[in-house]
Amino acid sequence: MTEPANAATPDRPQPKPWVAAIHAYVPGKSTGADGQALIKLSANENPLGTSAAAQAARHDAGDQSRYPDPDSVALRQALGALHGIAPQRLVMGTGSDELLNLAAQAYAGPGDEVVYVCYGFSVYDIAARRCGAMPIVAPDTDYGTDVDALLAAVTPATRVVFLANPNNPTGSYIGRDAIARLHAGLRPDILLVIDQAYAEYVDAAVDDGALALAASATNVLVTRTFSKIYGLAGERVGWATGDAALVDMLNRIRGPFNLSLSAQATALAAVGDQEFVAASRDHNTRERARFVASLTALGNHGVRPLPSEANFVLIEFTGALTAQSAYLGLMDHGYITRWLPGQDLPQCLRITIGTAAQMDEIADALAQMAGSAA
């Protein structure tokens, strides 16, 4: 017989306190307050879509009644060939989000600390709390990563340091020397996770050296995604590389069939179409520069575009036109962007780089709103 519950027994299952403290991830919106579909420039998706080769592969992915390759062998081989990485040093994930969470889960827990920069990707806080660790936020310098502040935030309890480069949502970027200095300043038992979701948008001439560091160090993990420049946000494909022991730990706790047949086939074809990647990078570089120039001209209205190496621009509003007003005004023009009060950035909008016509229309709309608000 079941013993009667005493008065102190809860009347329902109780979550762990560190899980209850998590604020769920808030994705970029695609509709306005009235439910009307808007042009979505809130989630940093590729305005050029997906390569034709990848689209074709999705429709011919194989027998969906069979389980996919649990190790994504063909995809890891293709990525290894492209980046000069041994396939056994690659692990696949359902987007890089899964891998970021697994990194924290494998190396941190209750009583440990996870450090990341102020205005870092919101998943870092979730990843830390999900495994019971304490998130520690290092201060920034003008919305950018401050290596000295990150190092100063490290304590004997630190187990993982997250760094997005380029950073989301600010677009800031630190170079090879700064990355090397950060790594050199960390204890060897601290895992440095360099999140390179937007790395393919960065000119190869200013590569931050993270992949090379992951190949030589035992405590560096680099994550990347197919959601951005490859245009495969809907397939949820990411990858990570690091020392064999790091990869082994992530393989132990990832989902056993975490990439579907279509995800593997589509990503494999996408890797083979580097012309599409180059075209996407060229488009982004060109349109981002034009958009930033248009916004810089509004400086006397308190509109400041922050430097970005990603496929978006974070805009600070300090004049009569507020970020919230700009956000609502752009919705009236048919666009949904990312207003960020939930990330302590109520004064900022993050706008994905879209087509040339879209960026011109947004720049014109902001200019009109700034002039009217003055």
Side-chain angles (χ1 to χ4, degrees), residues 10-17:
D11 62 356
R12 67 195 67 197
Q14 299 297 298
K16 293 298 183 183

Side-chain angles (χ1 to χ4, degrees), residues 139-223:
D140 67 298
T141 296
D142 193 23
Y143 301 100
T145 296
D146 185 325
V147 169
D148 292 320
L150 277 172
L151 291 174
V154 171
T155 74
T158 303
R159 295 293 176 266
V160 178
V161 173
F162 282 117
L163 169 67
N165 205 42
N167 187 47
N168 174 27
T170 65
S172 64
Y173 187 74
I174 61 174
R176 181 184 297 261
D177 291 346
I179 292 284
R181 185 163 68 85
L182 172 61
H183 177 251
L186 297 175
R187 300 190 314 268
D189 66 312
I190 294 176
L191 176 64
L192 173 60
V193 181
I194 304 174
D195 175 1
Q196 290 195 320
Y198 300 91
E200 289 89 354
Y201 286 109
V202 179
D203 191 302
V206 291
D207 171 58
D208 65 7
L211 287 180
L213 192 59
S216 61
T218 59
N219 65 333
V220 175
L221 186 77
V222 172
T223 64

